[in-house]
Amino acid sequence: MQAIRDAPHPLPILFTTRPVVKMKVLMGPDPSQVYRPDGGKDKEDFRNYTSGPLLDRVFHTYKLMHTYQTVDFVRKKHVEFGGFSYKKMTVMEAVDLLDGLVDESDPDVDFPNSFHAFQTAEGIRKAHPDKDWFHLVGLLHDLGKILVIAGEPQWSVVGDTFPVGCRPQKSIVFWDSTFEDNPDLKDPRYWSSRVVARPVTISPYAEYMYQMMKFNKFSLPPEAFYMIRFHSFYPWHTGGDYRHLCNTTDLSMLPWVQEFNKFDLYTKSGDLPDVSELRPYYQGLVDKYCPGILCW
């Protein structure tokens, strides 16, 4: 295993809950079944963290992540990027930046993240043709990964969200083999599964994008903000952990996050979309909900 190198601090997230209007929850059968890639690829074939050609790369990324992402690291990055002074550009310019990013934490894909954005959006569009804002969420959800383009190492940006400042739970990827060198685990204030001395903070890119959308006043419904903020928090929405940190609004929004997750996960395929054909439709949604040059 390659030795862990010294690296800059990771991107932070403040895990706080905010009251929003409770809305109708999506119900019924899993609509993603009708367009899963590769002729109906089994669920078990996704998120395989025990074998596969990309496993070494994925494990190394999580090892770095779970070693260096601490409460102090997270807070420093919150200050560093929370002013949104990195760059000014449109949403579509940010999407184009992801042409040069392959997510090193993802065991399912080895192609640029921009294609995954359109795959997710198109999956949602097929299943929910009447919710154009939901289609746009699919395009937007990973744009926080532009922080890698800004110079952050991948371990500080990509991957599943997990809380810091409290004991890691078993639902976290590689929880039993990647946290042993994290200094927070030697601090008695953070030994509990609950918050003891400080607010719980989590990382990385999804919180950045959520805060960026608020800063730029995207005119999307509350469900969209929840989906963006917590879509990578697998230990919560899929693992069932950290529910004790939730308020009633968080729990009411959980089905929306889970609905989004179907498309984020099960639309991944090596059959890449023709972005040039799709771009005019999504440009129209950008013009409707988040137009112009934005602060990133």
Side-chain angles (χ1 to χ4, degrees):
M1 184 67 67
Q2 180 181 347
I4 296 176
R5 64 186 183 279
D6 291 335
H9 297 167
L11 172 71
I13 293 183
L14 183 62
F15 184 25
T16 56
T17 54
R18 302 174 183 274
V20 295
V21 178
K22 185 175 180 179
M23 293 193 169
K24 183 179 179 181
V25 178
L26 301 175
M27 304 295 290
D30 181 351
S32 68
Q33 294 280 359
V34 299
Y35 54 80
R36 284 186 183 172
D38 302 331
K41 186 176 177 180
D42 292 338
K43 284 185 177 181
E44 293 75 17
D45 292 332
F46 292 91
R47 287 180 61 83
N48 182 346
Y49 293 101
T50 59
S51 63
L54 305 177
L55 183 61
D56 287 347
R57 182 193 77 182
V58 173
F59 179 85
H60 183 64
T61 301
Y62 274 98
K63 177 64 175 176
L64 291 167
M65 183 191 311
H66 294 166
T67 297
Y68 291 112
Q69 287 192 13
T70 65
V71 170
D72 288 342
F73 281 6
V74 162
R75 288 177 170 171
K76 288 177 181 178
K77 287 299 176 181
H78 198 200
V79 172
E80 183 176 348
F81 289 104
F84 303 99
S85 58
Y86 159 59
K87 193 177 183 69
K88 290 187 177 181
M89 58 184 166
T90 67
V91 164
M92 284 304 189
E93 287 173 333
V95 172
D96 290 342
L97 286 180
L98 295 188
D99 286 347
L101 174 65
V102 176
D103 187 333
E104 295 176 356
S105 72
D106 196 329
D108 296 317
V109 298
D110 200 25
F111 52 80
N113 222 179
S114 55
F115 288 104
H116 169 58
F118 282 101
Q119 286 176 333
T120 305
E122 282 295 282
I124 296 168
R125 184 181 177 188
K126 291 175 184 176
H128 298 280
D130 59 328
K131 294 181 175 64
D132 66 350
W133 62 267
F134 197 178
H135 312 165
L136 183 59
V137 170
L139 187 73
L140 296 174
H141 76 283
D142 277 350
L143 290 188
K145 294 178 184 178
I146 66 163
L147 292 173
V148 175
I149 309 300
E152 290 296 296
Q154 288 221 18
W155 66 263
S156 72
V157 178
V158 302
D160 288 0
T161 290
F162 69 97
V164 298
C166 61
R167 187 174 64 243
Q169 299 298 292
K170 293 182 179 180
S171 58
I172 298 176
V173 172
F174 302 124
W175 78 277
D176 59 345
S177 57
T178 53
F179 280 100
E180 61 268 24
D181 296 322
N182 187 302
D184 280 0
L185 270 65
K186 299 175 177 63
D187 189 327
R189 293 174 298 173
Y190 306 139
W191 286 352
S192 172
S193 62
R194 295 175 178 270
V195 185
V196 178
R198 301 184 181 186
V200 171
T201 55
I202 59 180
S203 60
Y205 69 97
E207 177 74 6
Y208 166 80
M209 189 61 195
Y210 162 78
Q211 297 290 352
M212 178 271 178
M213 290 165 59
K214 289 200 329 178
F215 185 86
N216 287 280
K217 297 180 171 57
F218 283 27
S219 59
L220 290 165
E223 298 95 328
F225 286 84
Y226 256 78
M227 291 175 190
I228 295 290
R229 191 180 200 187
F230 296 120
H231 76 272
S232 66
F233 194 4
Y234 275 85
W236 175 61
H237 65 63
T238 299
D241 285 326
Y242 303 105
R243 300 291 169 87
H244 60 282
L245 301 178
C246 298
N247 64 19
T248 56
T249 300
D250 298 322
L251 296 177
S252 73
M253 286 291 180
L254 176 57
W256 286 96
V257 178
Q258 292 170 329
E259 179 70 9
F260 174 80
N261 176 248
K262 300 172 186 177
F263 308 101
D264 183 20
L265 182 56
Y266 297 133
T267 58
K268 292 176 180 177
S269 170
D271 184 13
L272 303 182
D274 186 340
V275 172
S276 62
E277 289 186 0
L278 300 177
R279 198 176 184 96
Y281 173 73
Y282 289 97
Q283 182 65 63
L285 298 186
V286 169
D287 293 342
K288 180 178 180 180
Y289 292 107
C290 45
I293 298 175
L294 308 172
C295 296
W296 298 77

PDB file of all heavy atoms in Angstrom, residues 46-59:
ATOM      1  N   PHE A  46     -23.348  -2.778  -7.761  1.00  0.00           N
ATOM      2  CA  PHE A  46     -22.936  -1.400  -7.535  1.00  0.00           C
ATOM      3  C   PHE A  46     -22.325  -1.254  -6.140  1.00  0.00           C
ATOM      4  O   PHE A  46     -22.620  -2.017  -5.223  1.00  0.00           O
ATOM      5  CB  PHE A  46     -24.128  -0.450  -7.657  1.00  0.00           C
ATOM      6  CG  PHE A  46     -24.672  -0.344  -9.060  1.00  0.00           C
ATOM      7  CD1 PHE A  46     -25.689  -1.185  -9.485  1.00  0.00           C
ATOM      8  CD2 PHE A  46     -24.169   0.592  -9.951  1.00  0.00           C
ATOM      9  CE1 PHE A  46     -26.197  -1.086 -10.771  1.00  0.00           C
ATOM     10  CE2 PHE A  46     -24.673   0.689 -11.242  1.00  0.00           C
ATOM     11  CZ  PHE A  46     -25.689  -0.152 -11.651  1.00  0.00           C
ATOM     12  N   ARG A  47     -21.442  -0.284  -5.979  1.00  0.00           N
ATOM     13  CA  ARG A  47     -20.809   0.010  -4.681  1.00  0.00           C
ATOM     14  C   ARG A  47     -20.180  -1.247  -4.093  1.00  0.00           C
ATOM     15  O   ARG A  47     -20.366  -1.575  -2.920  1.00  0.00           O
ATOM     16  CB  ARG A  47     -21.823   0.638  -3.718  1.00  0.00           C
ATOM     17  CG  ARG A  47     -22.157   2.082  -4.086  1.00  0.00           C
ATOM     18  CD  ARG A  47     -23.150   2.696  -3.129  1.00  0.00           C
ATOM     19  NE  ARG A  47     -22.657   2.753  -1.758  1.00  0.00           N
ATOM     20  CZ  ARG A  47     -21.866   3.704  -1.267  1.00  0.00           C
ATOM     21  NH1 ARG A  47     -21.458   4.703  -2.051  1.00  0.00           N
ATOM     22  NH2 ARG A  47     -21.485   3.686   0.003  1.00  0.00           N
ATOM     23  N   ASN A  48     -19.390  -1.923  -4.907  1.00  0.00           N
ATOM     24  CA  ASN A  48     -18.671  -3.103  -4.447  1.00  0.00           C
ATOM     25  C   ASN A  48     -17.316  -2.646  -3.896  1.00  0.00           C
ATOM     26  O   ASN A  48     -16.425  -2.265  -4.659  1.00  0.00           O
ATOM     27  CB  ASN A  48     -18.477  -4.085  -5.601  1.00  0.00           C
ATOM     28  CG  ASN A  48     -17.769  -5.361  -5.174  1.00  0.00           C
ATOM     29  OD1 ASN A  48     -17.196  -5.441  -4.093  1.00  0.00           O
ATOM     30  ND2 ASN A  48     -17.803  -6.364  -6.033  1.00  0.00           N
ATOM     31  N   TYR A  49     -17.171  -2.720  -2.576  1.00  0.00           N
ATOM     32  CA  TYR A  49     -15.938  -2.275  -1.934  1.00  0.00           C
ATOM     33  C   TYR A  49     -15.081  -3.444  -1.450  1.00  0.00           C
ATOM     34  O   TYR A  49     -14.214  -3.263  -0.583  1.00  0.00           O
ATOM     35  CB  TYR A  49     -16.266  -1.339  -0.764  1.00  0.00           C
ATOM     36  CG  TYR A  49     -16.866  -0.036  -1.214  1.00  0.00           C
ATOM     37  CD1 TYR A  49     -18.243   0.177  -1.144  1.00  0.00           C
ATOM     38  CD2 TYR A  49     -16.077   0.983  -1.737  1.00  0.00           C
ATOM     39  CE1 TYR A  49     -18.805   1.374  -1.567  1.00  0.00           C
ATOM     40  CE2 TYR A  49     -16.617   2.180  -2.166  1.00  0.00           C
ATOM     41  CZ  TYR A  49     -17.992   2.367  -2.075  1.00  0.00           C
ATOM     42  OH  TYR A  49     -18.539   3.562  -2.506  1.00  0.00           O
ATOM     43  N   THR A  50     -15.329  -4.627  -2.006  1.00  0.00           N
ATOM     44  CA  THR A  50     -14.542  -5.797  -1.618  1.00  0.00           C
ATOM     45  C   THR A  50     -13.727  -6.380  -2.764  1.00  0.00           C
ATOM     46  O   THR A  50     -12.763  -7.116  -2.537  1.00  0.00           O
ATOM     47  CB  THR A  50     -15.455  -6.904  -1.053  1.00  0.00           C
ATOM     48  OG1 THR A  50     -16.423  -7.284  -2.051  1.00  0.00           O
ATOM     49  CG2 THR A  50     -16.178  -6.412   0.195  1.00  0.00           C
ATOM     50  N   SER A  51     -14.091  -6.072  -4.003  1.00  0.00           N
ATOM     51  CA  SER A  51     -13.347  -6.592  -5.153  1.00  0.00           C
ATOM     52  C   SER A  51     -13.601  -5.695  -6.356  1.00  0.00           C
ATOM     53  O   SER A  51     -14.486  -4.845  -6.334  1.00  0.00           O
ATOM     54  CB  SER A  51     -13.785  -8.031  -5.469  1.00  0.00           C
ATOM     55  OG  SER A  51     -15.156  -8.072  -5.835  1.00  0.00           O
ATOM     56  N   GLY A  52     -12.808  -5.911  -7.396  1.00  0.00           N
ATOM     57  CA  GLY A  52     -12.992  -5.133  -8.614  1.00  0.00           C
ATOM     58  C   GLY A  52     -11.710  -4.452  -9.044  1.00  0.00           C
ATOM     59  O   GLY A  52     -10.780  -4.271  -8.243  1.00  0.00           O
ATOM     60  N   PRO A  53     -11.651  -4.033 -10.310  1.00  0.00           N
ATOM     61  CA  PRO A  53     -10.413  -3.469 -10.867  1.00  0.00           C
ATOM     62  C   PRO A  53     -10.010  -2.128 -10.272  1.00  0.00           C
ATOM     63  O   PRO A  53      -8.848  -1.729 -10.373  1.00  0.00           O
ATOM     64  CB  PRO A  53     -10.736  -3.333 -12.359  1.00  0.00           C
ATOM     65  CG  PRO A  53     -12.233  -3.236 -12.418  1.00  0.00           C
ATOM     66  CD  PRO A  53     -12.731  -4.133 -11.313  1.00  0.00           C
ATOM     67  N   LEU A  54     -10.949  -1.411  -9.646  1.00  0.00           N
ATOM     68  CA  LEU A  54     -10.646  -0.088  -9.112  1.00  0.00           C
ATOM     69  C   LEU A  54     -10.455  -0.093  -7.599  1.00  0.00           C
ATOM     70  O   LEU A  54     -10.294   0.963  -6.992  1.00  0.00           O
ATOM     71  CB  LEU A  54     -11.781   0.891  -9.470  1.00  0.00           C
ATOM     72  CG  LEU A  54     -12.127   1.016 -10.953  1.00  0.00           C
ATOM     73  CD1 LEU A  54     -13.308   1.963 -11.153  1.00  0.00           C
ATOM     74  CD2 LEU A  54     -10.927   1.504 -11.756  1.00  0.00           C
ATOM     75  N   LEU A  55     -10.459  -1.272  -6.983  1.00  0.00           N
ATOM     76  CA  LEU A  55     -10.495  -1.352  -5.528  1.00  0.00           C
ATOM     77  C   LEU A  55      -9.290  -0.696  -4.856  1.00  0.00           C
ATOM     78  O   LEU A  55      -9.445   0.018  -3.860  1.00  0.00           O
ATOM     79  CB  LEU A  55     -10.606  -2.809  -5.081  1.00  0.00           C
ATOM     80  CG  LEU A  55     -10.724  -3.027  -3.565  1.00  0.00           C
ATOM     81  CD1 LEU A  55     -11.970  -2.344  -3.022  1.00  0.00           C
ATOM     82  CD2 LEU A  55     -10.736  -4.508  -3.238  1.00  0.00           C
ATOM     83  N   ASP A  56      -8.070  -0.915  -5.371  1.00  0.00           N
ATOM     84  CA  ASP A  56      -6.885  -0.331  -4.745  1.00  0.00           C
ATOM     85  C   ASP A  56      -6.954   1.192  -4.740  1.00  0.00           C
ATOM     86  O   ASP A  56      -6.636   1.843  -3.735  1.00  0.00           O
ATOM     87  CB  ASP A  56      -5.619  -0.793  -5.465  1.00  0.00           C
ATOM     88  CG  ASP A  56      -5.268  -2.241  -5.175  1.00  0.00           C
ATOM     89  OD1 ASP A  56      -5.846  -2.815  -4.228  1.00  0.00           O
ATOM     90  OD2 ASP A  56      -4.431  -2.808  -5.907  1.00  0.00           O
ATOM     91  N   ARG A  57      -7.363   1.748  -5.868  1.00  0.00           N
ATOM     92  CA  ARG A  57      -7.505   3.203  -5.972  1.00  0.00           C
ATOM     93  C   ARG A  57      -8.533   3.725  -4.975  1.00  0.00           C
ATOM     94  O   ARG A  57      -8.311   4.730  -4.281  1.00  0.00           O
ATOM     95  CB  ARG A  57      -7.926   3.581  -7.395  1.00  0.00           C
ATOM     96  CG  ARG A  57      -8.064   5.072  -7.640  1.00  0.00           C
ATOM     97  CD  ARG A  57      -8.781   5.351  -8.967  1.00  0.00           C
ATOM     98  NE  ARG A  57     -10.224   5.130  -8.847  1.00  0.00           N
ATOM     99  CZ  ARG A  57     -11.084   5.268  -9.867  1.00  0.00           C
ATOM    100  NH1 ARG A  57     -10.633   5.580 -11.071  1.00  0.00           N
ATOM    101  NH2 ARG A  57     -12.375   5.078  -9.677  1.00  0.00           N
ATOM    102  N   VAL A  58      -9.664   3.045  -4.892  1.00  0.00           N
ATOM    103  CA  VAL A  58     -10.752   3.464  -4.017  1.00  0.00           C
ATOM    104  C   VAL A  58     -10.333   3.367  -2.551  1.00  0.00           C
ATOM    105  O   VAL A  58     -10.546   4.303  -1.770  1.00  0.00           O
ATOM    106  CB  VAL A  58     -12.014   2.609  -4.279  1.00  0.00           C
ATOM    107  CG1 VAL A  58     -13.094   2.909  -3.253  1.00  0.00           C
ATOM    108  CG2 VAL A  58     -12.538   2.859  -5.688  1.00  0.00           C
ATOM    109  N   PHE A  59      -9.710   2.253  -2.169  1.00  0.00           N
ATOM    110  CA  PHE A  59      -9.286   2.079  -0.782  1.00  0.00           C
ATOM    111  C   PHE A  59      -8.275   3.152  -0.381  1.00  0.00           C
ATOM    112  O   PHE A  59      -8.371   3.727   0.711  1.00  0.00           O
ATOM    113  CB  PHE A  59      -8.680   0.689  -0.573  1.00  0.00           C
ATOM    114  CG  PHE A  59      -8.204   0.475   0.847  1.00  0.00           C
ATOM    115  CD1 PHE A  59      -9.086   0.052   1.821  1.00  0.00           C
ATOM    116  CD2 PHE A  59      -6.877   0.729   1.199  1.00  0.00           C
ATOM    117  CE1 PHE A  59      -8.659  -0.128   3.136  1.00  0.00           C
ATOM    118  CE2 PHE A  59      -6.444   0.557   2.508  1.00  0.00           C
ATOM    119  CZ  PHE A  59      -7.334   0.126   3.476  1.00  0.00           C
TER     120      PHE A  59
END
